[in-house]
Amino acid sequence: MKNVLLVDDDANVTEGLSEILQRSGYDVTTATSVSEAQTCVDVMEQRLDLCIVDLWLDESNGLDLVKALNSTDKPTPTIVISGGGPGRTLEQVMAAANALGAEATLQKPFTGEELLAVIDALGN
Amino acid sequence: MKDLTVSRRAMGVASLLEQLNRRIYANEGPTGLKPAQWAALRFFLMAGKDTRTVSGLARFMGTTTGPASRSVKALVGRKLLDAKAHPTDKRSTVFELTDKARFLLENDPIIDLALSVSNMEVGKLEQLAECLVEIGTLLETRRQGSDE
C-alpha cells in the first residue's frame, strides 16, 4: 500500500481524487491547507510516498509546501495540480513548482486516468 | 511627472534579465516563432486532453481568450496544430500538435537554457527560482498599479 497525501481546499476535489486513488490501491490522507498538510507530513514522516498538492490553497502558498517536501534528506515526490488563481499565471506557478522540486504538474481539469498515468510514470 | 529614478544595481539586474531573454531565442534558427507561440506549443505538448483548448491555453497563460485564440490561429496556419472536435463537448474544439510541431519542439530554445542551468547547485537553483517568482509578482503588482 502506498501512502498519498492529497492537499486541496476544495472538498469536491479531495473526495473525487481520493476515490480514484483508493480504487487503485492507494492509502489516501487529505488536508485542506498547507499547515494541515505540514502536520500530516510530520506525523507520517518516512511513510509518505507521494504528495499531490493544489497550488492555490486559500490563505497559503503551496509553493512553500513543495519546497519543504523537497528540502529534506528523503524528498517526497510531489505532483502539483492547479486550475489557476489570482496573482500569478498558471504558467508561472507550474514553472516555479518544477524549479522547487515538483516531479510533475497537472492542469485542472484532468481525468482520473491522466492522474494515474502521471503517478505510474513516477514509479509509484 | 513619473519618478523614473532607479538604482544602478536594479538597472543592472533588469538589464541582465532582458539580455538573457533575448539570448534564449537568438539561436533558434528560421522558425520565426514568437516566444508566446513557443510557450503555446509547450502547453499543447503537456496539457491533458480536456484542456487542449483556447480557453485552457488562456487560463494557463493568464490572458483573455483573444490573445490565446490569435496564438492558436497562427500555429494552425503554420501547420503546427490540428483542430479537432472535442470528444465529449461538441461546442468546443481541441488542438493537437502536428508531427512538424513535435519535431520543432525537439529543438525548443528553452532546452538549451535548461541544459545550461542543469549543473548548477540545487540550492542556487531554488534561490534563483524564488527570486524570479518574486520579480514576476513585483512586476505584475507594479503594472496593475499603473493601470489604475
Side-chain angles (χ1 to χ4, degrees), chain A residues 67 88 91 107-108 114, chain B residues 43 49 56 59-60 130:
Chain A
K67 189 182 172 191
R88 297 171 188 153
E91 182 184 25
Q107 180 178 349
K108 293 177 181 174
E114 285 170 338
Chain B
F43 167 80
K49 59 185 178 184
R59 208 165 56 244
F60 185 71
E130 286 172 338

Side-chain angles (χ1 to χ4, degrees), chain A residues 95-106:
Chain A
N98 285 327
L100 293 176
E103 294 275 351
T105 55
L106 266 178

Side-chain angles (χ1 to χ4, degrees), chain A residues 57-74:
Chain A
L57 299 160
D58 280 349
E59 299 173 2
S60 55
N61 186 355
L63 282 174
D64 291 340
L65 180 62
V66 174
K67 189 182 172 191
L69 288 165
N70 288 281
S71 302
T72 64
D73 292 340
K74 187 198 168 222

Side-chain angles (χ1 to χ4, degrees), chain B residues 76-128:
Chain B
V76 170
R78 286 168 171 266
K79 300 195 186 321
L80 296 171
L81 289 178
D82 273 339
K84 292 181 178 169
H86 193 286
T88 54
D89 180 4
K90 287 181 181 170
R91 293 167 303 174
S92 187
T93 304
V94 291
F95 295 90
E96 303 286 348
L97 292 175
T98 62
D99 289 344
K100 184 181 171 188
R102 290 181 187 280
F103 178 76
L104 264 188
L105 281 165
E106 286 177 13
N107 298 294
D108 184 341
I110 206 172
I111 295 172
D112 244 358
L113 182 63
L115 288 171
S116 303
V117 301
S118 62
N119 288 328
M120 283 174 70
E121 187 192 321
V122 171
K124 263 189 182 176
L125 283 177
E126 277 183 6
Q127 283 177 352
L128 179 59

